[in-house]
């Protein structure tokens, strides 16, 4: 089935089998391998992407369901050669070790902080309960997200929704 | 050219990681990201029966499916099915080795029976259900007692299900117990759980017919051993095989073991002359990854009335699952030696027994045998302190090793399966212990012990551990000058997500006195070096880092020689500093100019057979809700002396992460089996690893008070220590909290229902 | 389409349960009918007759609707316990109710609240009280040609006292047990109209009638609460599983009811 979607700012048309999940389509059809598959049953959150502004698990969507959608994956977060403020905060706080859960953490937190740039520590912790990390113990991830809030607050002020 | 300051510009600083730049952009290259033109994808048919005789396998229907190319079974392999070799052989384990595919018998649910090759992973997985397998079931052995009993033997060629017994001895335990005024006997157990890295396992292999060369992508942990193992099993020269490392989504001791699938993938690639890729799904990961930790200890402690520990002894029965895997004996050996922990106990006698069962074979998981041993020891000390009416803190301090005891030889283990010299190397354990008490605020928190506040019972505890590291015998590194004046550094240590690129770059940059951005770091692949070892047993940084130092020294000497020749002076009249060689009369030549003339390359090996021992203490404050059994970790503080910190950012990150893994093992992670040998856990919803809201209150402090005398860095294996003390200290705190109920937990995991159950039992 | 498919088709709502089931190859429907494009099934309306939530409304939309915090407070309170952020962005109330997992929160809530489920099939539309909708674990009264279109909650008096309490190993996990509770206080200060929905420790979402009876007409003191908690424990039909024993879950039901009643009372004081 042919679907058209917007991914990381580019309009893309792709032919996918009906049974193909969105994460498989991204990885296999579009070579966007930054989106990782950690469980394929909707628990680990590594495959999280942003669909129409909302963080969702791409292993729990069929590619055909994304027809017409606007999608952001981890590859779409950096500003050109520069890391985004969230990415830079992850690096500064050592919020990643093996890097496997990182794309899902980044997309989840990017969606959250875009909508809620003043999210509390408790809210941030609660939101990433849907993302499993086996390396960090989560503490530096929460610190990085808190640190990145300011940049989201600034961009909210300069471009009010 | 800018001259960088001479010493320690990078080592010791919280350098942001090099590898993060690609991980954060989604540009990491993990195994499943790799595709090869014309590749076939594999799927493994696994036994659904725990124990049985294979009668028949019919693959015809599967072969008829469009897109399916082949189905490999034992019948397709050489007449003698290869078994997976041991990394540390010992005299008794040979019959318990795992064949690369089930032949005649299946011995655990999940054992590979057939390997389907198809155009895509989906087709291969679809085809699995069309293979029919006939198995005559045998009695399954699902616990160590049934295994010990021996009525059913897993291996027909043996007389016993006990694959090996490790004995750790020190002094004269029998005499110490005879004479002791106080003796207590206890039984403790730890449940089966596992590493559960976020990336599942996978492998891609390609056979090049023209050069008769096998390339295997997906190396981790032990690439050089695995290459040797693979070459041996395939009947190839070692040089005909290369293991290449990609980015690795977490290891924790489990990834990088030689698994049966590794052979099946490589064999298929060579047999069909096609690239073959296999990626495990999460559900099969539960059946296929090495399990760990399942053991029960029957222990005795002998003390003087003042709390001096006179002796410990006992037996630890370890359920190792169906086969002895390459590193399967490590936890058994370790628990036997490390139960006594960092305490001065003159008389020790432990037997660690490895018993086979019809469950997934066990292997190493972060702190193998050490997490368990620390739990047993620290529980035992608290129970003894209570009996003796002593303060647990005083009793611990009384028995801790001091600098005057160093080096302190640990109990001797036999069979000696290759671990070299095991003696605590440096440190005054009491000062680190006291620092932990202070950081934690022991004095202020003590009055809370056993108190009930708003329905929650509070408890505190402190415990101690040692973390062995720097396993020998040696490690290699190579440093090469590139045309552009940059330097490529190759090291045998492997990456499992711990930041080896950054760490080694820091060490190399300091040793070569050049900036970090002029160094490119390569690691973990067998193509880099003639010989290497890898990252396991907290050795990566110490051994690899020391190898980099040795290679850097040779590299600089070569630079000095080359510069001297260029400057037409004898070599001893040239000094090298900050990447520039200078003569006494003020002439100089920078490294980059030499690069135009000669591409210096030096490969060197660091030899070291003495282990390092990081000492640490951990303290915890818990509250327990007796109505639900919920435990909250209100404060957790760990203080360790690692000798020397290379990168505080990565070290701290590993300690905290390891502690959280430890909490998972204490509270929620459990690979449960039923009586027929079926694994009851198959998803991350059932296997409960910690999540972000679970353990937010952790503080980790690493000290550099006593560098290791055993290596040029002065560093000790570290990071892994984060997990070791968690079981002992947390369970002691829970017991303290619930002392008014008389609850004394002896087995893990302490899930809310388990804690509730313990309280009910004391009520009745 | 459902009729034509002759049992080979599955309706796909948010996919947050069905897709994992398919990934495990526990279900392999030949036809999937995606309902996400059907706008009529989405949305929340509130009027004098109560609250109507379309079956394809996502958890997220329910969570964001501030009106529900007073119009259907148990629904709002339950949401934060349902799975995780990303799941709530896709998962729907209709999908969850149709799946009928007794461990899930919303089946227990709709039963506690006397909600009605609107169903459309080839024979037209029907409305089924929540307590008749759930027949067993993963079993509802929906026939093969029917689809759940909406759930309708009766009006919620402002003076009603309520609480939602659940206990799970980790945040977002299916609970060991949970209680969705409301009651009113009559002029004499006695409990009236107690409704206790049970989550988790049961094979079918249901109310705890015996415990409710022990509350109605009584003053909500320590003795009444303890008695109701005791009865709720014995009334819960929990079973052993790999995570917890039946005995634990039953005791937990009592503890949670006790805590819920106290939380509800505290809410009364805050009013």
């Amino acid at each position: 089935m042919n679907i058209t979607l917007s991914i990381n700012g580019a309009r893309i048309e792709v032919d996918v089998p009906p049974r193909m999940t969105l994460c498989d389509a991204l990885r296999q059809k579009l070579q966007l391998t930054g989106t990782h598959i950690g469980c394929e049953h909707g628990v680990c959150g590594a495959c999280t992407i942003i669909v129409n502004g909302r963080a969702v698990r791409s292993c729990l969507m069929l590619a055909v369901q994304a027809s017409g959608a606007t999608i952001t994956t981890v590859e779409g977060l950096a500003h050109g050669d520069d890391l985004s403020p969230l990415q830079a905060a992850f690096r500064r706080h050592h919020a990643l070790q093996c890097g496997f859960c990182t794309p899902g953490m980044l997309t989840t937190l990017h969606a959250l902080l875009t909508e809620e740039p003043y999210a509390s520590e408790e809210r941030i912790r609660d939101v990433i309960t849907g993302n499993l990390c086996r390396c960090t113990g989560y503490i530096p991830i929460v610190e990085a997200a808190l640190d990145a809030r300011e940049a989201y607050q600034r961009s909210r002020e300069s471009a009010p929704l | 050219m800018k001259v960088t300051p001479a010493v320690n510009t990078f080592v010791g600083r919280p350098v942001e990681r090099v590898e993060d730049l690609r991980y954060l952009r989604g540009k990491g290259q993990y195994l499943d990201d790799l595709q090869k033109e014309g590749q076939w994808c594999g799927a493994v048919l696994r036994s659904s029966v725990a124990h049985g005789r294979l009668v028949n396998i019919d693959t015809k229907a599967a072969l008829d499916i469009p897109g399916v190319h082949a189905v490999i079974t034992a019948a397709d392999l050489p007449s003698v099915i290869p078994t997976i070799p041991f990394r540390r052989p010992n005299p008794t384990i040979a019959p318990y080795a795992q064949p690369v595919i089930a032949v005649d018998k299946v011995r655990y649910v999940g054992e590979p029976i057939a390997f389907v090759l198809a155009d895509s992973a989906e087709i291969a997985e679809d085809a699995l259900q069309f293979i029919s397998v006939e198995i005559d079931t045998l009695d399954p052995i699902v616990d160590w007692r049934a295994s010990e009993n021996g009525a059913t033997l897993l291996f027909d060629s043996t007389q016993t299900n006990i694959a090996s017994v490790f004995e750790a001895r020190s002094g004269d335990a029998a005499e110490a117990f005879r004479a002791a005024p106080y003796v207590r006997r206890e039984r403790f157990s730890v449940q089966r759980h596992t590493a559960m890295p976020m990336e599942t396992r996978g492998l891609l292999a390609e056979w090049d017919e023209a050069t008769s060369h096998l390339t295997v992508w997906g190396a981790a942990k032990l690439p050089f051993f695995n290459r040797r193992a693979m070459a041996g099993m395939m009947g190839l020269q070692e040089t005909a095989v290369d293991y290449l490392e990609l980015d690795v989504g977490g290891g924790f001791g489990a990834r990088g073991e030689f698994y049966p699938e590794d052979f099946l993938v490589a064999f298929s690639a060579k047999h069909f002359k096609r690239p073959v890729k296999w990626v495990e799904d999460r559900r099969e990961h539960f059946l296929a990854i090495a399990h760990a930790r399942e053991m029960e200890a029957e222990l005795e402690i002998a003390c003087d009335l003042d709390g001096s520990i006179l002796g410990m002894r006992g037996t630890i029965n370890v359920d190792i699952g169906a086969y002895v895997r390459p590193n399967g004996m490590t936890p058994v050996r370790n628990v036997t030696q490390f139960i006594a922990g960092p305490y001065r106990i003159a008389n020790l006698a432990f037997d660690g027994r490895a018993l086979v069962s019809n469950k997934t074979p066990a292997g190493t998981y972060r702190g193998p045998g050490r997490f368990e041993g620390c739990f047993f020891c620290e529980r035992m000390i608290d129970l003894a302190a209570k009996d003796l009416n002593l303060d647990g803190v005083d009793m611990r301090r009384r028995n801790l090793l001091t600098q005057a005891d160093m080096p302190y030889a640990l109990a001797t283990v036999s069979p000696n399966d290759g671990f070299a010299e095991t003696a605590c190397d440096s440190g005054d354990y009491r000062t680190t212990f006291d620092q932990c008490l202070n950081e934690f605020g022991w004095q202020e928190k003590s009055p809370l012990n056993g108190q009930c506040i708003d329905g929650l019972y509070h408890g505190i505890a402190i415990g101690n551990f040692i973390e062995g590291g720097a396993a020998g015998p040696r490690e290699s590194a190579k440093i090469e000058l590139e045309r552009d004046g940059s330097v490529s550094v190759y090291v045998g240590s492997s990456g499992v997500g711990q930041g080896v690129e950054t760490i080694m770059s820091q060490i190399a940059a300091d040793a070569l006195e050049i900036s970090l951005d002029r160094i490119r770091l390569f690691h973990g692949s067998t193509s880099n070096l003639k010989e290497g070892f890898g990252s396991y047993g907290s050795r990566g940084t110490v051994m690899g880092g020391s190898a980099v130092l040795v290679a850097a020294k040779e590299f600089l000497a070569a630079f000095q020689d080359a510069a001297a020749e260029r400057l037409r002076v004898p070599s001893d009249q040239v000094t090298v500093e900050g990447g520039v060689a200078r003569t006494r009369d003020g002439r100089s030549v920078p490294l980059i100019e030499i690069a135009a003339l000669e591409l210096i390359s030096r490969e060197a090996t660091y030899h070291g057979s003495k282990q390092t021992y990081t000492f640490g203490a951990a303290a915890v404050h818990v509250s327990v809700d007796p109505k639900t059994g919920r435990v909250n970790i209100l404060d957790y503080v760990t203080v360790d002396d690692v000798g020397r910190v290379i990168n505080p950012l990565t070290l701290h990150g590993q300690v905290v992460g390891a502690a959280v893994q430890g909490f998972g093992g204490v509270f929620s992670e459990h690979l449960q089996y039923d009586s027929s040998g079926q694994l009851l856990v198959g998803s991350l919803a059932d296997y409960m690893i910690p999540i972000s809201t679970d353990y937010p209150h952790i503080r980790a402090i690493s000290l550099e008070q006593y560098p290791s005398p055993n290596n040029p860095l002065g560093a000790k294996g570290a990071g892994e220590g984060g997990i070791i003390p968690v079981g002992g200290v947390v369970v002691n705190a829970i017991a303290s909290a619930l002392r008014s109920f008389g609850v004394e937990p002896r087995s893990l995991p302490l899930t809310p229902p388990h804690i509730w159950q313990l309280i009910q039992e004391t009520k009745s | 389409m459902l009729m034509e498919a002759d049992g080979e088709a599955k309706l796909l709502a948010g996919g947050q349960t069905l897709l994992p089931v398919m990934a495990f190859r526990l279900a392999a429907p030949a036809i999937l009918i995606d309902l996400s494009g059907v706008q009529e099934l989405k949305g929340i309306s509130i009027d004098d007759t109560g609250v109507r939530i379309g079956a394809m409304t996502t958890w997220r939309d329910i969570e964001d609707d501030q009106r529900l915090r007073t119009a259907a407070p148990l629904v709002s309170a339950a949401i934060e316990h349902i799975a995780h952020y990303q799941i709530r962005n896709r998962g729907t109330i209709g999908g969850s109710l149709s799946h009928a997992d007794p461990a899930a929160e919303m089946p227990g809530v709709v039963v506690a609240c006397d909600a009605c489920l609107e169903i459309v099939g080839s024979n037209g539309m029907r409305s089924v009280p929540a307590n008749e909708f759930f027949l067993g674990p993963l079993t509802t009264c929906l026939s093969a040609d029917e689809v759940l279109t909406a759930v309708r909650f009766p009006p919620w008096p402002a003076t009603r006292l309520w609480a939602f309490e659940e206990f799970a190993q980790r945040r977002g996990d299916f609970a060991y047990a949970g209680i969705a509770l409301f009651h009113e206080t009559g002029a004499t200060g006695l409990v009236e109209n107690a409704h206790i929905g049970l989550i988790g420790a049961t094979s079918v979402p249901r109310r705890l009638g015996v415990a409710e009876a022990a509350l109605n007409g009584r003053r909500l003191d320590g003795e009444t609460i303890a008695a109701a908690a005791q009865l709720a424990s014995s009334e819960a039909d929990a079973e052993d599983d790999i995570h917890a024993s039946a005995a634990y879950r039953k005791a937990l039901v009592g503890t949670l009811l006790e805590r819920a009643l106290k939380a509800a009372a505290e809410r009364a004081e805050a009013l």
Side-chain angles (χ1 to χ4, degrees):
Chain A
M1 293 170 81
N2 254 305
I3 57 169
T4 305
L5 54 175
S6 161
I7 300 185
N8 300 330
R11 194 170 166 281
I12 287 170
E13 202 178 315
V14 59
D15 184 29
V16 292
R19 74 184 252 188
M20 187 175 249
T21 60
L22 182 51
C23 60
D24 281 344
L26 291 170
R27 293 176 50 79
Q28 294 170 19
K29 295 280 177 181
L30 303 170
Q31 281 70 53
L32 291 169
T33 55
T35 298
H36 295 156
I37 299 174
C39 74
E40 283 183 292
H41 53 263
V43 182
C44 80
C47 70
T48 303
I49 59 170
I50 304 171
V51 177
N52 298 331
R54 288 187 172 183
V56 302
R57 304 214 191 284
S58 62
C59 77
L60 296 188
M61 264 183 90
L62 296 172
V64 293
Q65 291 182 291
S67 181
T70 300
I71 290 174
T72 305
T73 67
V74 65
E75 289 93 342
L77 296 180
H79 310 308
D81 286 343
D82 296 330
L83 295 179
S84 76
L86 181 64
Q87 290 169 319
F90 261 59
R91 191 173 184 222
R92 207 158 48 242
H93 288 272
H94 191 38
L96 66 157
Q97 289 179 35
C98 81
F100 200 78
C101 75
T102 309
M105 287 286 182
L106 288 170
T107 47
T108 301
L109 288 166
H110 180 66
L112 172 73
L113 296 176
T114 302
E115 279 193 303
E116 303 175 33
Y118 293 90
S120 66
E121 176 177 344
E122 192 190 356
R123 171 70 172 152
I124 289 165
R125 263 190 197 285
D126 193 45
V127 163
I128 60 167
T129 55
N131 296 76
L132 298 178
C133 168
R134 193 58 161 165
C135 296
T136 65
Y138 306 99
I139 292 170
I141 295 175
V142 174
E143 286 170 353
L146 287 169
D147 195 3
R149 286 185 308 181
E150 202 192 327
Y152 286 90
Q153 290 160 9
R154 275 201 311 272
S155 65
R156 166 71 68 95
E157 279 156 24
S158 59
L161 292 176
Chain B
M1 183 195 218
K2 190 169 146 256
V3 179
T4 44
V7 283
N8 267 15
T9 313
F10 299 105
V11 169
R13 278 178 39 201
V15 173
E16 291 185 8
R17 297 200 319 172
V18 182
E19 42 274 77
D20 289 0
L21 291 171
R22 61 176 186 277
Y23 294 164
L24 287 163
R25 294 163 184 276
K27 302 289 183 203
Q29 170 86 76
Y30 300 84
L31 189 275
D32 195 26
D33 303 341
L34 191 64
Q35 316 283 342
K36 290 277 164 193
E37 189 68 33
Q39 76 185 14
W40 287 354
C41 294
V44 181
L45 180 74
R46 298 177 182 280
S47 177
S48 58
V49 171
H51 196 195
R53 288 194 192 282
L54 265 174
V55 179
N56 188 41
I57 307 171
D58 185 351
T59 61
K60 195 180 167 307
L63 286 166
D64 288 345
I65 294 172
V68 172
H69 299 292
V71 181
I72 304 265
T73 67
D76 303 294
L77 295 186
S79 56
V80 178
I81 305 291
T83 57
I84 303 172
F86 308 112
R87 196 163 65 84
R88 298 181 185 280
N90 84 33
T92 58
I93 53 180
Y96 304 89
Q98 178 164 15
V100 293
I101 197 162
V103 46
D104 304 332
K105 254 187 175 187
V106 290
R107 295 186 177 86
Y108 64 97
V109 172
E111 181 163 8
I113 291 177
F115 190 55
V116 178
L117 294 149
D119 282 334
S120 73
E122 290 76 17
I123 296 172
E125 286 162 23
D126 283 343
L128 294 179
Q129 60 188 300
F130 294 95
I131 302 173
S132 61
V133 179
E134 205 181 316
I135 296 174
D136 279 350
T137 56
L138 297 165
D139 288 341
I141 303 284
V142 294
D143 66 67
W144 74 262
R145 286 189 176 79
S147 176
E148 179 192 43
N149 166 288
T152 301
L153 292 172
L154 262 67
F155 299 85
D156 299 340
S157 66
T158 67
Q159 307 298 315
T160 171
N161 288 324
I162 303 172
S164 191
V165 179
F166 287 87
E167 297 180 353
R169 296 288 185 269
S170 198
D172 184 347
E175 179 51 32
F177 274 82
R178 237 188 325 270
Y182 167 82
V183 171
R184 179 164 180 150
R185 190 184 183 94
E186 280 294 336
R187 184 180 292 156
F188 303 109
S189 66
V190 179
Q191 84 285 12
R192 182 170 272 249
H193 56 289
T194 186
M196 203 52 59
M198 292 322 298
E199 183 196 17
T200 58
R201 290 179 51 242
L203 224 61
L204 197 159
E206 187 171 27
W207 173 254
D208 183 345
E209 184 73 10
T211 59
S212 294
H213 191 88
L214 176 72
T215 305
V216 181
W217 287 268
K221 185 177 175 178
L222 288 156
F224 291 88
F225 170 80
N226 285 349
R227 163 167 84 167
R228 194 154 58 246
M230 181 71 87
M233 295 160 83
M234 301 270 283
L236 296 167
Q237 291 295 314
E238 212 173 305
T239 48
V241 180
D242 268 312
Y243 262 69
L244 302 186
E245 185 189 288
L246 304 166
D247 287 323
V248 175
F252 316 120
R255 190 196 304 278
E257 181 82 278
F258 197 110
Y259 287 90
E261 298 87 2
D262 301 19
F263 178 86
L264 298 177
V265 170
F267 172 85
S268 303
K270 180 167 181 282
H271 190 74
F272 297 107
K273 302 177 180 37
R274 282 267 179 178
V276 172
K277 177 175 167 181
W278 166 76
V279 176
E280 192 181 59
D281 70 27
R282 183 58 66 181
R283 195 161 57 150
E284 69 181 327
H285 181 86
F286 281 94
L287 298 168
I289 194 77
H291 292 181
R293 300 264 203 265
E294 184 178 11
M295 56 180 77
E296 187 173 308
E298 185 100 28
L299 299 179
E300 284 180 289
I301 188 168
C303 302
D304 234 332
L305 298 178
D306 64 1
S308 301
I309 305 173
L310 303 171
M312 281 179 86
R313 65 182 176 188
T315 302
I316 309 98
N317 290 299
V318 186
D319 181 338
I320 61 159
Y323 297 100
V324 177
R325 287 261 177 88
N327 299 288
M329 290 299 98
T330 302
V332 189
R333 182 220 166 275
N334 279 359
V335 74
T336 311
Q337 189 178 40
F338 287 96
I339 280 190
Y343 299 108
R344 192 188 311 99
I345 307 174
N347 305 293
L348 301 169
F350 298 111
D351 288 357
R353 307 198 300 169
L355 297 111
V356 289
S357 70
N358 293 116
K359 294 189 278 195
T360 295
T364 48
Y365 168 38
R366 214 172 198 178
R370 302 171 192 271
F371 170 92
E372 303 93 313
C374 186
F375 167 58
F376 302 151
C377 178
E378 292 295 334
R379 280 300 284 141
M380 203 71 185
I381 291 177
D382 253 27
L383 289 165
K386 273 178 206 170
D387 283 348
L388 295 167
N389 210 13
L390 295 169
D391 180 68
V393 170
D394 293 341
M395 181 165 167
R396 286 182 171 81
R397 188 189 282 106
R398 171 181 290 275
N399 292 287
L400 277 176
L401 296 172
T402 66
Q403 180 65 19
D405 296 308
M406 303 297 163
Y408 183 82
L410 300 173
T412 307
V413 178
S414 64
N416 181 343
D417 58 353
F419 276 87
E421 295 156 64
T422 52
C424 294
D425 46 348
S426 65
D428 192 298
Y429 294 177
R430 288 180 307 192
T431 56
T432 309
F433 177 69
D434 287 342
Q435 185 149 352
C436 184
L437 288 166
N438 288 336
E439 292 288 348
F440 178 70
W442 185 270
Q443 287 295 341
E444 304 86 85
K445 286 180 176 135
S446 300
L448 287 169
N449 229 348
Q451 294 294 310
C452 178
I453 302 166
D454 294 335
L456 302 179
Y457 289 78
H458 290 251
I460 61 171
I462 186 165
N464 300 298
F465 68 93
I466 45 172
E467 171 192 1
R474 57 190 177 274
E475 190 56 276
S476 303
K478 180 172 70 180
I479 301 181
E480 285 186 346
L481 184 58
E482 303 291 346
R483 242 350 134 199
D484 62 2
S486 70
V487 166
S488 294
V489 177
Y490 302 84
V491 63
S493 304
S494 48
V496 282
Q498 80 280 44
V500 65
E501 260 173 87
T502 307
I503 299 293
M504 295 300 163
S505 296
Q506 287 176 260
I507 294 170
D510 278 5
L512 297 168
E513 298 180 8
I514 60 174
S515 63
L516 212 53
D517 57 16
R518 287 177 64 193
I519 292 173
R520 289 216 302 156
L521 209 292
F522 300 88
H523 56 83
S525 297
T526 59
S527 53
N528 292 334
L529 296 161
K530 288 193 186 69
E531 183 202 59
F533 287 82
S535 295
Y536 51 91
S538 292
R539 77 184 300 280
T541 300
V542 179
M543 297 302 286
S546 296
V548 169
L549 288 187
V550 175
K553 200 172 166 192
E554 293 193 10
F555 178 91
L556 289 177
F559 172 36
Q560 186 176 348
D561 290 345
E565 199 179 316
R566 178 91 194 279
L567 297 163
R568 296 175 198 290
V569 291
S571 191
D572 60 5
Q573 292 185 22
V574 172
T575 54
V576 169
E577 201 181 311
V580 182
R582 296 170 201 282
T583 61
R584 288 172 191 165
D585 57 8
R587 291 179 301 137
S588 68
V589 56
L591 192 54
I592 191 164
E593 278 183 31
I594 298 297
L597 305 170
E598 181 193 351
L599 295 181
I600 299 168
S601 175
R602 287 294 179 275
E603 185 164 343
T605 299
Y606 169 72
H607 296 264
S609 60
K610 289 181 177 175
Q611 293 242 314
T612 63
Y613 290 89
T614 282
F615 168 77
V620 69
H621 174 196
V622 303
S623 71
V624 186
D625 180 345
K627 295 269 205 167
T628 61
R630 163 93 75 213
V631 177
N632 280 311
I633 303 293
L634 302 175
D635 191 18
Y636 184 88
V637 176
T638 165
V639 179
D640 57 3
D641 186 348
V642 301
R644 189 175 189 198
V645 178
I646 309 300
N647 186 329
L649 210 53
T650 61
L651 171 62
H652 185 263
Q654 283 185 48
V655 173
V656 171
V660 171
Q661 286 185 333
F663 287 123
V666 171
F667 290 118
S668 56
E669 297 179 30
H670 192 182
L671 294 166
Q672 293 189 66
Y673 278 84
D674 70 10
S675 59
S676 68
Q678 294 292 333
L679 181 59
L680 299 174
V681 172
S683 88
L684 289 168
D686 288 329
Y687 187 80
M688 301 191 195
I689 71 169
I691 63 170
S692 56
T693 44
D694 285 345
Y695 309 108
H697 306 296
I698 298 171
R699 298 183 279 151
I701 296 154
S702 289
L703 310 173
E704 301 179 284
Q705 290 179 341
Y706 291 89
S708 174
N710 294 348
N711 63 76
L713 283 166
K716 299 181 176 188
E720 192 174 12
I723 203 170
I724 296 172
V726 181
V729 68
V730 168
V731 178
N732 280 338
I734 293 169
S736 284
L738 297 177
R739 64 186 178 194
S740 58
F741 297 90
V743 167
E744 294 290 357
R746 290 174 175 82
S747 62
L748 300 181
L750 288 174
T751 60
H754 184 190
I755 289 180
W756 178 85
Q757 185 64 38
L758 291 173
I759 294 171
Q760 305 314 304
E761 284 165 10
T762 61
K763 277 182 182 167
S764 58
Chain C
M1 272 180 81
L2 267 181
M3 286 174 64
E4 288 164 14
D6 202 21
E8 291 295 305
K10 270 282 205 192
L11 292 173
L12 179 62
Q16 306 302 284
T17 302
L18 183 54
L19 260 65
V21 167
M22 287 166 61
F24 279 156
R25 289 166 201 262
L26 299 174
I31 301 169
L32 269 183
I33 303 172
D34 185 4
L35 297 174
S36 59
V38 188
Q39 290 305 320
E40 295 75 19
L41 294 180
K42 294 179 187 170
I44 301 165
S45 59
I46 302 175
D47 58 26
D48 296 347
T49 64
V51 173
R52 184 180 184 279
I53 304 178
M56 285 297 291
T57 309
T58 63
W59 299 126
R60 172 64 184 278
D61 291 332
I62 298 171
E63 195 175 5
D64 285 352
D65 193 325
Q66 297 301 316
R67 300 172 303 165
L68 291 175
R69 293 181 189 273
T70 49
L74 276 176
V75 175
S76 288
I79 296 274
E80 64 172 287
H81 297 278
I82 297 174
H84 307 281
Y85 183 68
Q86 301 96 330
I87 299 282
R88 294 199 295 269
N89 280 338
R90 290 282 301 170
T92 65
I93 188 167
S96 171
L97 293 172
S98 303
H99 184 59
D101 191 330
E105 286 81 2
M106 203 46 67
V109 169
V110 297
V111 169
C113 292
D114 289 334
C116 276
L117 305 180
E118 292 179 3
I119 294 166
V120 170
S122 52
N123 292 327
M125 192 187 140
R126 63 183 178 127
S127 180
V128 178
N131 62 349
E132 292 170 23
F133 180 78
F134 302 104
L135 304 180
L138 312 185
T139 313
T140 69
C141 70
L142 285 171
S143 53
D145 66 338
E146 286 184 319
V147 55
L148 177 68
T149 54
V151 53
R152 188 180 277 283
F153 294 87
W156 186 274
T159 55
R160 187 177 270 179
L161 301 180
W162 61 272
F164 186 92
E165 291 282 331
E166 75 164 43
F167 186 83
Q169 171 88 38
R170 301 173 304 178
R171 191 125 176 83
D173 283 344
F174 280 132
Y176 288 124
I179 292 286
L181 153 103
F182 72 79
H183 64 81
E184 280 136 33
T185 311
T188 53
L190 304 181
V191 173
E192 290 177 1
N193 196 28
H195 280 56
I196 306 170
L198 177 60
I199 291 156
T202 172
S203 59
V204 61
R206 66 187 190 88
R207 282 166 56 184
L208 295 173
V210 180
E212 289 172 359
L215 291 171
N216 286 329
R218 292 221 164 71
R219 188 167 303 281
L220 204 58
D221 54 18
E223 201 180 316
T224 306
I225 291 175
Q230 183 82 45
L231 291 167
S233 272
S234 40
E235 199 179 348
D237 55 328
E239 286 179 12
D240 289 339
D241 69 13
I242 61 164
H243 298 302
S245 65
Y248 174 76
R249 288 179 192 268
K250 286 164 84 77
L252 190 59
V253 168
T255 298
L256 292 173
L257 177 60
E258 204 174 313
R259 291 178 181 181
L261 287 167
K262 285 176 182 163
E266 279 166 26
R267 199 163 272 126
E269 283 163 24
L271 279 178

